[in-house]
Amino acid sequence: MKSTRVCSLLALLFASAVSAESYVIGVENLPFAPHYSIDQQGRYQGFARELFDRFASHSGVQLSYLPLPASRLLAALLEGEVDFKYPDSGNWAQAQKADKALHYSQAVVAYVDGVLVAPKHQGHAIEQLKRLGMVSGWTPWGYQQGIEAGQIQLTYSDDLRTLIRQTLKQDTDGAYFNVVVATHYLDNIRARPGALVFDPKLPHTRGNFHLSTLRHRQLLQRFDRFLLECQEEVDALKDKYRVEANLDSEYMGVEQWKLDFLKRQKAKARLE
């Protein structure tokens, strides 16, 4: 409760001290729920939208969101078309950022990119992964050696929907994507929970999404303070949207009802 009171007090202080500050966050114009997506009216929504809206309220600033193609977003930041970019990471597009003094926030949310396979193929050796599906523009970290050696053939899709469909039809042996986002799509949009599962034994990448800016370092520092002082509020949002659902367990990304079911099945098997 203490951090919640501190968070509320900071909101009052910032609201009284700051006025008429307005900034634009450049965001990705693609479906990436539960992290973020764009609705039919072109409005940014999801975990990231609610998080930044709460920061704006606490800090007394005005934030607006400009959805852009992911390939255009960094250029928009560097050219001053937007004030901030989300998501971003110091590990991304390093060649394009080489001579730029970009600043990054503390970690906003953790993520895992990896391969989802049919349940019967979970735990198989990487040598059995012959055809890997992925969305255009993504880099399959951990699989470059097999790709260069001709052991893994890449199949590109325009979006997650096509990627998942190809893997369900067994046109590919696995789908490389953000694990929480792909699982959310299967559970809530495709209505095929458990049809594909994350394979933690295959190469996968852990990282964090950050907010970045070229010119507004002070506001970025205020955002970092918000993440720290309002940690309980931020954690509650993460739980609400399940953006970090079971990232440290074998059931990464699995909805809670299915997680409970799988645990019961495992407990039952031990008793037999």
Side-chain angles (χ1 to χ4, degrees), residues 4-266:
T4 302
R5 291 197 297 270
V6 171
C7 188
S8 299
L9 178 59
L10 285 174
L12 292 173
L13 291 175
F14 280 128
S16 61
V18 182
S19 62
E21 288 188 49
S22 180
Y23 303 92
V24 178
I25 300 180
V27 298
E28 294 182 337
N29 185 10
L30 53 80
F32 207 73
H35 286 276
Y36 50 84
S37 61
I38 310 299
D39 67 14
Q40 294 183 343
Q41 288 71 43
R43 294 174 299 200
Y44 189 56
Q45 59 184 4
F47 163 78
R49 171 63 188 264
E50 189 165 349
L51 177 71
F52 292 133
D53 280 357
R54 292 195 182 196
F55 165 64
S57 177
H58 282 287
S59 302
V61 299
Q62 295 180 352
L63 294 178
S64 58
Y65 308 94
L66 180 61
L68 293 169
S71 60
R72 171 78 183 106
L73 198 49
L74 178 58
L77 176 66
L78 299 179
E79 295 167 8
E81 185 178 347
V82 298
D83 300 304
F84 295 88
K85 175 182 182 294
Y86 185 82
D88 205 349
S89 168
N91 297 323
W92 300 352
Q94 292 183 352
Q96 295 173 263
K97 300 174 178 178
D99 59 344
K100 308 297 182 183
L102 282 175
H103 306 288
Y104 299 89
S105 72
Q106 296 298 313
V108 175
V109 62
Y111 72 86
V112 174
D113 293 341
V115 175
L116 287 89
V117 299
K120 64 181 180 180
H121 295 151
Q122 189 179 36
H124 287 182
I126 189 173
E127 289 75 17
Q128 297 188 42
L129 187 69
K130 304 295 185 181
R131 303 164 301 166
L132 180 60
M134 59 185 301
V135 173
S136 299
W138 282 61
T139 301
W141 300 112
Y143 297 87
Q144 291 91 335
Q145 184 175 351
I147 294 168
E148 293 172 0
Q151 299 167 347
I152 299 176
Q153 177 185 351
L154 291 180
T155 299
Y156 290 98
S157 303
D158 292 332
D159 51 38
L160 176 61
R161 178 182 62 84
T162 305
L163 173 65
I164 294 297
R165 184 175 70 242
Q166 289 178 333
T167 308
L168 289 174
K169 292 171 59 181
Q170 301 182 31
D171 292 337
T172 65
D173 300 318
Y176 184 90
F177 205 72
N178 179 285
V179 175
V180 166
V181 174
T183 304
H184 176 86
Y185 174 82
L186 281 163
D187 289 352
N188 299 285
I189 301 174
R190 189 62 189 261
R192 292 286 302 276
L196 298 175
V197 294
F198 170 63
D199 193 335
K201 294 186 178 180
L202 292 175
H204 54 278
T205 301
R206 291 180 178 270
N208 295 283
F209 291 155
H210 302 259
L211 181 67
S212 67
T213 186
L214 192 60
R215 301 179 179 86
H216 303 287
R217 190 173 185 179
Q218 288 187 344
L219 188 63
L220 203 66
Q221 292 171 343
R222 285 157 58 186
F223 179 63
D224 284 342
R225 289 199 298 271
F226 165 77
L227 293 177
L228 177 63
E229 300 292 349
C230 301
Q231 183 176 348
E232 287 185 7
E233 186 175 340
V234 174
D235 288 345
L237 273 182
K238 290 180 178 180
D239 289 342
K240 173 184 175 180
Y241 286 96
R242 298 183 57 77
V243 290
E244 292 181 343
N246 307 309
L247 286 189
D248 295 317
S249 82
E250 61 184 301
Y251 302 112
M252 187 184 303
V254 175
E255 291 288 311
Q256 189 61 45
W257 69 268
K258 188 171 181 63
L259 174 60
D260 295 338
F261 171 77
L262 292 172
K263 288 182 176 180
R264 288 196 299 271
Q265 291 294 99
K266 179 173 286 190

